[in-house]
Amino acid sequence: MRSLLAAAVAVLLVAPPAQAAPVLDLDRATIPHLARRMDAGTLTAVDLTRAYLRRIDDVDGRVRSVLALDPTALDQAAASDRRRAKGHARGPLDGIPVLLKDNIDTRGLASTAGSRALHVPPREDAALVTRLRDAGAVILGKANLSEWANFRSTRSTSGWSAVGGQTNNPHVLDRNPCGSSSGSGAAVAASLAQVAVGTETDGSIVCPAGQNGVVGLKPTLGLVSGRGVVPLSTRQDTAGPMARHVVDAAILMSALGGGDYAAAGSATGNAVRGARIGVWRKAGASPEADRVVQRSVDALRGAGATVVDVELPYQDRIDAVEFPALTVEFKHDLERYLATRPGRFRTIDDLIAFNERDPVELSRFGQELFLAARDAPPTSDPEYREQRRTATTLARRSIDEVLAAQRLDVIMAPTNSPAWQTDYAAGDAYVLGTSTPAAAAGYPNVSVPAGFAGPLPIGMSFMAGHRADAKVLRFAAAFEQLTHARRAPRYLTTLP
């Protein structure tokens, strides 16, 4: 796969630019900055796309986050330049290179969910890809992911797929990028695309955002179409933006969801003055996260916010029913999706049998969750229906009741503890996570860089109620401006 990717980059870059490429600081550049340069004629979309292709060629051999490049990327960029030259630019995303998680159907590209079973490309774009093309985005390629959205084994390792191998955390390469949008998070952190699209069922956008030190928004359920996205559970799944800067995440969200979030993503630190913020500390799980939380609280209070400690109720009861409900939904929703795809796989039994025959699929860990899903009851089962009702209702109450009782604008919580060392024998080593309330509720949750434990990033999450996406983005942008916590990766081999 690495040699094929290198060959693809070489083909795309075979024709050199007619003049010296403009100087670009890809790590620090925002979409508004790039759009201004393209409007002024000091940068072209082709220049920008070439810069990212070269960056992939230079860096991704260590990170292993890009599965495939779109061979039409430079043609898409040239079409964007022609539109802009005629005064027909489609908006701020026109000409901006985007990577897509490889569970998102993309015409002309294999969309594998990380599995060697889905090698036949889909017939058409996912609905969200159509929206990105309509906005003028350059579809740069596909990002690796945790295979089947990390729902194949109870001992899986985030960032590994049979198609792409292991994605590494660019801050410390033997540390895990978290999943399942691991490739999207690591690629954005390493400046291999301006933005990327990830997907989340519970934590799969915000956790890789936190551990890779970038911004990730898990939107309100239903704002972004799930048509053409390999599902885990349509009752919780949503695609969402990942970026180095909140404003870029907001602009990408505008294209994905059809709203206008750019102003919220451009908020200044003054936006928190007079606000009431609840902090769900999850204290004691991670001393490093505890220190970042306290520094975050101090920064917000220093900017004029009132910050009060809160606890989110019902968490044990939600945890007891969410996973069994997801297991039922996975079989039902995946088989319904497989019926839309070309190829011979139609049931989870087909996939189980394929994995047992394939020399790579079970080489790192098993498929216990596939077996559990195979044996799960149908979605008409009364016990399942009560599990789903309980998970969703209690998750919503856990957020809504705290917001109301404390008269809060948002709730803040640590996204993650420092990234663990990738270890196939032990599997993932989660210590701290706060994604479940918003995930099971279908409410928005955005993670933004907040600090470090040595060289390892820690994020802070901002969550609120139904369709409060602009609000959480506004608080994330204000927090970003107050703390300036993000750093470019150092690509350390290991910790000292």
Side-chain angles (χ1 to χ4, degrees), residues 79-111:
S80 173
D81 289 333
R82 289 192 294 272
R83 286 192 297 272
R84 184 168 269 104
K86 295 176 182 178
H88 297 159
R90 297 174 178 175
L93 206 60
D94 204 338
I96 300 297
V98 180
L99 279 171
L100 305 174
K101 185 176 178 180
D102 200 41
N103 61 349
I104 299 169
D105 287 358
T106 311
R107 184 180 65 248
L109 293 175
S111 302

Side-chain angles (χ1 to χ4, degrees), residues 156-158 176 211 417-423 426-432:
S156 62
T157 297
S158 288
N176 198 267
Q211 288 195 188
S417 52
W420 58 87
Q421 192 167 29
T422 297
D423 184 336
D428 286 341
Y430 292 100
V431 171
L432 182 154

Side-chain angles (χ1 to χ4, degrees), residues 72-304:
T72 71
L74 288 173
D75 292 335
Q76 296 173 58
S80 173
D81 289 333
R82 289 192 294 272
R83 286 192 297 272
R84 184 168 269 104
K86 295 176 182 178
H88 297 159
R90 297 174 178 175
L93 206 60
D94 204 338
I96 300 297
V98 180
L99 279 171
L100 305 174
K101 185 176 178 180
D102 200 41
N103 61 349
I104 299 169
D105 287 358
T106 311
R107 184 180 65 248
L109 293 175
S111 302
T112 68
S115 170
R116 286 153 59 95
L118 299 187
H119 63 278
V120 180
R123 296 186 181 95
E124 59 185 20
D125 285 336
L128 73 86
V129 179
T130 299
R131 293 192 65 90
L132 292 175
R133 293 192 196 277
D134 289 345
V138 174
I139 306 303
L140 191 61
K142 307 302 285 289
N144 198 22
L145 69 160
S146 304
E147 185 170 326
W148 295 113
N150 234 359
F151 209 78
R152 201 192 75 188
S153 172
T154 56
R155 298 182 64 83
S156 62
T157 297
S158 288
W160 185 88
S161 76
V163 175
Q166 180 66 51
T167 294
N168 300 318
N169 190 310
H171 291 270
V172 182
L173 295 169
D174 70 351
R175 296 285 161 152
N176 198 267
C178 203
S180 65
S181 304
S182 45
S184 298
V188 167
S191 298
L192 306 183
Q194 188 66 28
V195 290
V197 180
T199 67
E200 175 165 329
T201 307
D202 188 342
S204 286
I205 288 175
V206 295
C207 185
Q211 288 195 188
N212 292 284
V214 298
V215 177
L217 170 66
K218 196 286 293 183
T220 292
L221 184 65
L223 288 185
V224 181
S225 173
R227 181 174 61 80
V229 180
V230 182
L232 195 167
S233 163
T234 57
R235 284 73 162 181
Q236 289 186 202
D237 291 350
T238 179
M242 305 186 77
R244 290 181 293 281
H245 313 279
V246 176
V247 66
D248 287 3
I251 290 170
L252 181 54
M253 181 60 200
S254 297
L256 294 172
D260 185 1
Y261 301 95
S266 303
T268 68
N270 292 330
V272 304
R273 185 172 301 279
R276 287 182 59 84
I277 301 170
V279 56
W280 184 30
R281 292 179 183 264
K282 300 279 285 203
S286 166
E288 300 93 341
D290 290 346
R291 289 191 286 271
V292 172
V293 170
Q294 188 56 53
R295 288 196 295 271
S296 301
V297 169
D298 293 343
L300 291 166
R301 285 176 174 160

